[in-house]
Amino acid sequence: ISTSTPTEKIVEKWNTLFKDNVLSLVAMSHRPLIARWMRWALMVHNLREELAKYTAVGVVGLVNSGKSKLVGNLFGIKVEVGTTECKRTTVPFLYNLDEIIEGLDVIDFPGVDDRDESIPDLAELLLSIAQVVVFVVDYRRVHTESAKRWLEYLESEPVQVLVCLTHADRLYVEYMGEDGTHRPTDIVRKEIKIQLDMIKEKLKPCPKHKVQFFSFYQDKDSVLNTPEGRKILHDVGIQTPLDVGDWLIDVFRNHLDQEELAERLKDYIHKEEEPSKE
């Protein structure tokens, strides 16, 4: 059996593969799930072997919160966005970034609240590979049982965690009005900070996590979907994928003692800010 062996093939040859083994007693109805677990266990083993020399960032969170958008926007790579009509990530994707940032891998996890009940257990296995975790959740769903359970779980893990409360551009519109002229920016900034502080208070006990509002993308026709619009969001305390990159740089440098990796990431994500040479 390998990671590429189809689940159906494992089930079809079950009695031959596991003759004289306790697995031969498994009921037919349970064999597909266990076969998937076998493949995932092999995947995790292979990943552990392959990633031993890399620093891995795990991007995990709830369904449709913007995990894949973050990976694509921050690292400028084409990401897989899922295999269903809902366009959600349903399997973990590993991106080796050696070509652009040597020594860095990113794992884009399926939503941990997916209807596939096996995904949370798989996520826990794969998170053991990651040295840094970015947890992505729609700010309106951060108090769901799924989100709270995972934040508490991550609190017990020896990793640095950034909690990205996404879709916060909608919060901005709620306070300011979409054209951005209804109320003074400084007042909106204070109100958004109050909202953030209220969320942090309700998330206790999770003091280790850094929690911040983010907007990874805006509606196509929104006035906020411009460089000027994104600057306005930043001015009121709503951060962008670039801020996630700066947080990672700080973690690599000050928590993981990975100065060279921090510099490579900094050079990559800020390359467009360098003045042109004429």
Side-chain angles (χ1 to χ4, degrees):
I1 300 173
S2 71
T3 57
S4 61
T5 305
T7 299
E8 296 80 5
K9 185 64 67 175
I10 297 174
V11 173
E12 178 184 329
K13 296 186 175 181
W14 193 275
N15 290 332
T16 302
L17 290 169
F18 305 114
K19 183 180 179 182
D20 301 324
N21 185 292
V22 69
L23 288 173
S24 64
L25 303 176
V26 173
M28 286 292 297
S29 59
H30 294 159
R31 291 181 182 182
L33 177 60
I34 294 176
R36 292 175 68 187
W37 265 100
M38 290 176 186
R39 295 177 60 207
W40 288 339
L42 284 170
M43 181 193 308
V44 171
H45 173 76
N46 292 344
L47 283 173
R48 283 181 183 275
E49 295 288 319
E50 182 67 23
L51 297 179
K53 59 183 178 180
Y54 291 94
T55 296
V57 175
V59 181
V60 64
L62 303 195
V63 169
N64 293 329
S65 291
K67 301 180 296 299
S68 298
K69 283 285 186 181
L70 168 62
V71 173
N73 290 346
L74 178 58
F75 298 109
I77 57 177
K78 182 178 180 180
V79 297
E80 300 289 344
V81 294
T83 56
T84 72
E85 70 279 6
C86 297
K87 294 298 182 183
R88 73 189 197 283
T89 301
T90 56
V91 294
F93 292 105
L94 169 66
Y95 299 99
N96 180 285
L97 303 183
D98 256 357
E99 290 187 4
I100 55 175
I101 308 165
E102 183 182 352
L104 182 62
D105 281 329
V106 175
I107 308 171
D108 181 11
F109 289 84
V112 292
D113 59 334
D114 194 275
R115 58 179 174 265
D116 185 336
E117 296 180 359
S118 63
I119 285 178
D121 291 329
L122 172 63
E124 288 188 18
L125 281 173
L126 290 176
L127 276 174
S128 65
I129 298 169
Q131 291 94 337
V132 186
V133 172
V134 179
F135 188 86
V136 183
V137 56
D138 187 322
Y139 80 93
R140 296 163 297 183
R141 300 178 60 204
V142 71
H143 300 309
T144 62
E145 287 304 314
S146 235
K148 288 192 289 187
R149 183 175 74 83
W150 274 89
L151 289 171
E152 290 172 3
Y153 170 78
L154 290 170
E155 183 69 20
S156 66
E157 292 296 296
V159 293
Q160 295 294 312
V161 179
L162 172 64
V163 180
C164 298
L165 305 175
T166 57
H167 302 307
D169 50 297
R170 298 172 185 175
L171 185 64
Y172 171 86
V173 171
E174 177 184 333
Y175 283 132
M176 177 70 89
E178 188 162 0
D179 62 7
T181 62
H182 291 182
R183 307 176 66 207
T185 299
D186 59 337
I187 293 178
V188 173
R189 184 189 305 113
K190 290 177 181 177
E191 292 179 341
I192 287 177
K193 184 179 185 305
I194 289 172
Q195 182 77 4
L196 180 62
D197 290 341
M198 290 173 59
I199 289 175
K200 289 180 179 179
E201 182 66 25
K202 291 181 179 179
L203 287 180
K204 290 182 178 178
C206 291
K208 189 176 72 175
H209 306 330
K210 179 176 180 180
V211 183
Q212 185 61 53
F213 283 125
F214 283 85
S215 178
F216 294 154
Y217 62 97
Q218 296 78 42
D219 292 337
K220 181 179 179 181
D221 299 325
S222 171
V223 296
L224 297 174
N225 190 25
T226 62
E228 295 78 12
R230 287 185 280 276
K231 181 180 184 303
I232 290 171
L233 290 175
H234 208 273
D235 288 344
V236 298
I238 297 173
Q239 298 189 349
T240 68
L242 191 60
D243 294 294
V244 177
D246 287 333
W247 178 81
L248 289 172
I249 291 169
D250 179 71
V251 169
F252 294 160
R253 177 174 289 132
N254 297 315
H255 295 276
L256 300 182
D257 196 25
Q258 296 271 4
E259 179 66 32
E260 292 184 0
L261 179 59
E263 283 300 311
R264 287 194 290 270
L265 177 57
K266 179 181 176 181
D267 289 344
Y268 177 76
I269 67 174
H270 291 290
K271 63 181 182 299
E272 294 184 0
E273 298 175 6
E274 296 177 358
S276 58
K277 297 179 182 180
E278 297 183 359

